[in-house]
């Protein structure tokens, strides 16, 4: 969807929309429209939409009003986003190809206006590449939004918000595509295309290079697949030269059958999005690079496919990680931590980061604990955890902190190796985080975001349709903006 700023609305555009505050008088509208809004009990609550029709200059206009709630509400930005998203949801398949959006009636700041436009863009995204028989009335029609009466500063704020939109759309595409399209090699190719000409530096390790480095945990996950594993690093030096970078690490299991510890058949198709952590980091990095973030940030993505095969690793196998620590593989379906541990160690050796944040669809236990409303965050550093939680709250990609500690750590001691890759039934998300913590160098601030419940949704949300949500992109962007720039 294209967002265009204009001084006056194009005369040939029938759909005219306005964002208003709760209780605002609908000045300038036809009296019949005002009476109709009153009869429909429209009061401007956040996300509430009223539609009517009126003649204007001899042409029939389709008029929409979307509520932004109270102007002084604590959640003003979120309410403004709901107003923009509600318009996109209502009109994306309406048959209208264009919409004029008037932002001059809700006392919006430039940042708030850009937030409304971001919500329009995000909610208006849908992936229909494989739908060949959609009827016309179900196809996405809305392609362009003409913005009028934008508050001062909106266009500048939108330049950054548009980068976030592109990052989220890239993440959604990666997560939505099936595993026969997105696998480790093609994931790398898609990133090469996305970052071409941006100034970001990409480094790719293939299996022989990872074997030479001793990444037997990551390679063990992919050894049952015909698709070779990859490690991808994306580097952006936008900050002060010589400053230590912030490291973002993503789990990229492009399909997870569970391996020999195979998952139940029902719902296994969803495991195409087990690379959602790598997808979130790739999209977050794209947003940072496109808006030229003034920070040094490096993404490292561990990419593998977990398949059951005669060559696949078995429960009970012991693998040696790049760090030298040995792991007893209790469950081949606890594979994400095996991918991440080698990626984390390599990244620390290679880049000596100031801090590390990893993203992974790591455990089903996280969905049991937090549902789909929050992702979990675990950290060895209170300040970093607080920064991430705050960024999640303000961006809408919410996080909830859970504990780690010695009492949990001892649950993953192995009787024959240094560590086992799965603990007991209880505290599954915590013991997974404890596993990763063992691969973090002493003194390095680290946080682990378990986003298993948030990268995919079976129902529409405020800023997404059913399917890939793009979770993590806005969180990464806001974390960097608020703490590193």
């Amino acid at each position: 969807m294209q967002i265009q700023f204009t001084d006056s609305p194009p005369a040939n555009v029938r759909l005219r929309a306005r964002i208003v505050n709760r209780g605002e008088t609908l000045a300038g509208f036809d009296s019949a429209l005002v009476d109709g809004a009153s009869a429909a009990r429209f009061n401007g609550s956040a996300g509430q939409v009223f539609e009517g029709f009126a003649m204007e200059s001899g042409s029939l206009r389709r008029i929409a009003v979307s509520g932004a709630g109270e102007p002084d509400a604590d959640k003003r930005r979120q309410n403004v986003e709901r107003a923009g998203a509600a318009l996109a949801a209502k009109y994306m398949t309406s048959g209208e190809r264009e919409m004029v959006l008037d932002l001059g009636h809700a006392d919006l700041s430039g940042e708030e206006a850009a937030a409304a436009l971001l919500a329009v863009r995000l909610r208006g995204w849908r992936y229909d590449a494989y739908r060949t028989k959609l009827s016309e009335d179900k196809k996405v029609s809305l392609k362009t939004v003409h913005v009028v009466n934008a508050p001062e500063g909106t266009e500048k704020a939108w330049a950054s918000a548009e980068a976030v939109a592109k990052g989220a759309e890239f993440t959604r595409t990666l997560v939505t595509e099936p595993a026969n399209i997105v696998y480790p090699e093609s994931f790398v190719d898609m990133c090469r295309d996305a970052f071409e000409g941006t100034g970001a530096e990409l480094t790719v390790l293939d299996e022989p290079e990872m074997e030479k480095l001793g990444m037997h945990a990551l390679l063990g996950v992919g050894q049952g697949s015909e698709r070779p594993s990859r490690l991808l690093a994306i580097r952006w030096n936008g900050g002060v030269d010589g400053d230590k970078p912030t490291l973002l690490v993503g789990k990229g299991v492009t399909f997870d059958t569970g391996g020999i510890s195979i998952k139940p058949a029902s719902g296994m198709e969803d495991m195409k999005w087990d690379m959602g952590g790598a997808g979130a980091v790739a999209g977050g990095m794209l947003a940072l690079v496109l808006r030229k973030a003034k920070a040094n940030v490096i993404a490292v993505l561990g990419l593998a496919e977990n398949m059951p095969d005669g060559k696949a690793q078995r429960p009970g196998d012991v693998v040696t990680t790049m760090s030298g620590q040995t792991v007893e593989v209790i469950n081949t379906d606890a594979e994400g931590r095996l991918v991440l541990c080698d990626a984390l160690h390599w990244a620390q050796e290679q880049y000596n980061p100031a801090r590390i944040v990893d993203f992974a669809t790591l455990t089903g236990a996280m969905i049991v604990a937090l549902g789909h409303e929050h992702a979990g965050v675990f950290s060895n550093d209170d300040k970093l955890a607080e920064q991430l939680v705050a960024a999640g709250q303000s961006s809408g990609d919410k996080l909830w902190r859970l504990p780690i500690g010695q009492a949990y750590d001892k649950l993953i001691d192995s009787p024959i190796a240094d560590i086992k890759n799965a603990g007991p039934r209880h505290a599954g998300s915590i013991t997974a985080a404890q596993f990763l913590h063992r691969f973090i160098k002493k003194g390095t601030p680290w946080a682990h975001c378990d986003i298993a419940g948030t990268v995919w949704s079976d129902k529409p949300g405020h800023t997404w349709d059913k399917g890939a949500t793009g979770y993590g992109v806005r969180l990464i962007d806001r974390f960097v903006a608020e703490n590193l720039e």
Side-chain angles (χ1 to χ4, degrees):
M1 184 184 294
Q2 297 298 312
I3 305 293
Q4 299 179 354
F5 293 87
T6 182
D7 292 332
S8 58
N12 62 332
V13 178
R14 178 172 57 180
L15 175 59
R16 306 296 174 93
R18 178 188 295 184
I19 292 178
V20 300
N21 290 325
R22 182 180 175 89
E24 179 180 322
T25 302
L26 302 183
F29 282 134
D30 179 278
S31 60
L33 273 173
V34 175
D35 291 344
S38 176
R41 296 184 176 180
F42 177 82
N43 60 11
S45 298
Q48 185 185 22
V49 176
F50 169 75
E51 177 186 70
F53 291 83
M55 295 298 297
E56 180 183 295
S57 302
S59 298
L60 180 67
R61 301 296 187 195
R62 192 173 186 175
I63 308 296
V65 190
S66 187
E70 300 288 350
D72 58 350
D74 292 338
K75 297 182 178 180
R76 174 61 167 173
R77 183 187 178 96
Q78 290 91 328
N79 287 345
V80 169
E81 287 187 357
R82 290 184 66 180
L87 289 170
K90 184 171 181 64
Y91 294 107
M92 63 187 292
T93 60
S94 64
E96 304 290 352
R97 295 185 57 83
E98 299 176 271
M99 174 171 68
V100 172
L101 179 55
D102 189 339
L103 295 178
H105 297 271
D107 298 321
L108 301 174
S109 67
E111 291 286 343
E112 290 168 347
L117 297 178
L118 176 60
V120 170
R121 173 83 172 251
L122 292 178
R123 186 60 182 86
W125 185 92
R126 199 176 76 185
Y127 201 68
D128 289 338
Y130 303 113
R131 295 178 174 176
T132 64
K133 295 184 178 181
L134 274 178
S135 60
E136 284 300 318
D137 64 329
K138 290 182 173 60
K139 291 180 180 179
V140 174
S141 60
L142 188 61
K143 304 295 184 182
T144 305
V145 176
H146 303 277
V147 181
V148 298
N149 296 323
E152 183 178 354
T154 302
E155 292 190 53
K156 181 179 179 180
W158 172 243
S160 293
E162 185 178 27
V164 175
K166 290 179 178 178
E169 289 164 354
F170 183 52
T171 294
R172 289 175 175 180
T173 300
L174 288 167
V175 172
T176 302
E177 285 281 16
N180 61 321
I181 302 298
V182 173
Y183 44 90
E185 293 166 295
S186 64
F187 190 111
V188 170
D189 290 340
M190 290 175 72
C191 286
R192 281 198 178 105
D193 291 343
F195 286 90
E196 184 177 5
T198 63
E201 302 173 10
L202 273 64
T203 301
V204 183
L205 301 186
D206 61 17
E207 287 191 338
E209 290 170 304
M210 288 189 281
E211 177 70 32
K212 187 176 180 179
L213 290 167
M215 294 187 185
H216 301 296
L218 191 159
L219 291 172
V221 172
Q223 72 187 38
S225 172
E226 293 184 355
R227 306 288 194 184
S229 301
R230 292 289 183 265
L231 190 75
L232 170 64
I234 306 168
R235 183 168 190 161
W236 172 250
N237 291 324
V240 176
D241 189 35
D243 277 3
K244 287 184 175 183
T246 292
L247 186 64
L248 306 174
V249 180
K251 170 193 169 183
V253 177
T254 55
F255 193 79
D256 181 22
T257 64
I260 298 300
S261 307
I262 196 164
K263 295 175 180 291
S266 178
M268 193 191 290
E269 68 277 4
D270 287 346
M271 288 298 96
K272 69 178 185 177
W273 51 253
D274 206 24
M275 38 61 66
V281 171
M285 281 297 294
L286 185 60
L288 297 177
V289 170
L290 289 177
R291 71 170 181 82
K292 307 298 181 186
K294 294 178 174 61
N296 297 332
V297 187
I298 301 173
V300 174
L301 312 176
L303 304 168
E305 185 179 63
N306 188 23
M307 298 289 285
D309 180 82
K311 296 180 295 183
Q313 66 182 358
R314 297 151 291 234
D317 285 359
V318 174
V319 295
T320 302
T321 68
M322 183 184 172
S323 72
Q325 296 181 77
T326 56
V327 179
E328 181 186 10
V329 180
I330 300 297
N331 185 341
T332 65
D333 194 24
E335 84 300 329
R337 64 205 74 179
L338 297 174
V339 170
L340 285 172
C341 71
D342 276 341
L344 285 165
H345 184 77
W346 178 83
Q348 290 172 91
E349 291 287 296
Q350 190 78 9
Y351 300 116
N352 188 27
R355 62 194 62 80
I356 303 169
V357 184
D358 75 69
F359 291 81
T361 54
L362 205 63
T363 64
M366 184 51 57
I367 304 175
V368 174
L370 298 179
H372 301 282
E373 310 308 316
H374 290 76
V377 61
F378 307 79
S379 184
N380 64 359
D381 186 270
D382 289 343
K383 180 180 178 182
L384 179 58
E386 290 167 3
Q387 290 171 339
L388 285 164
V389 170
Q393 190 65 34
S394 58
S395 69
D397 287 352
K398 296 178 182 178
L399 290 168
W400 192 269
R401 190 178 183 186
L402 289 93
I404 55 174
Q406 183 57 37
Y408 296 109
D409 192 66
K410 66 183 182 182
L411 298 176
I412 52 173
D413 287 336
S414 166
I416 66 166
D418 296 324
I419 185 174
K420 56 185 179 181
N421 79 323
R425 177 185 177 191
H426 302 294
S429 297
I430 299 175
T431 53
Q434 290 290 166
F435 182 96
L436 299 179
H437 189 212
R438 291 202 185 191
F439 295 86
I440 303 301
K441 292 187 176 182
K442 188 175 181 179
T444 302
W446 158 80
H448 158 60
C449 301
D450 191 334
I451 61 175
T454 53
V455 302
W456 190 268
S457 179
D458 292 331
K459 59 183 179 180
H462 295 316
T463 55
W464 62 83
D465 203 344
K466 291 189 291 185
T469 65
Y471 181 96
V473 174
R474 300 174 73 183
L475 171 62
I476 289 169
D477 179 75
R478 191 63 57 85
F479 169 72
V480 170
E482 292 178 350
N483 301 288
L484 305 182
E485 294 186 89

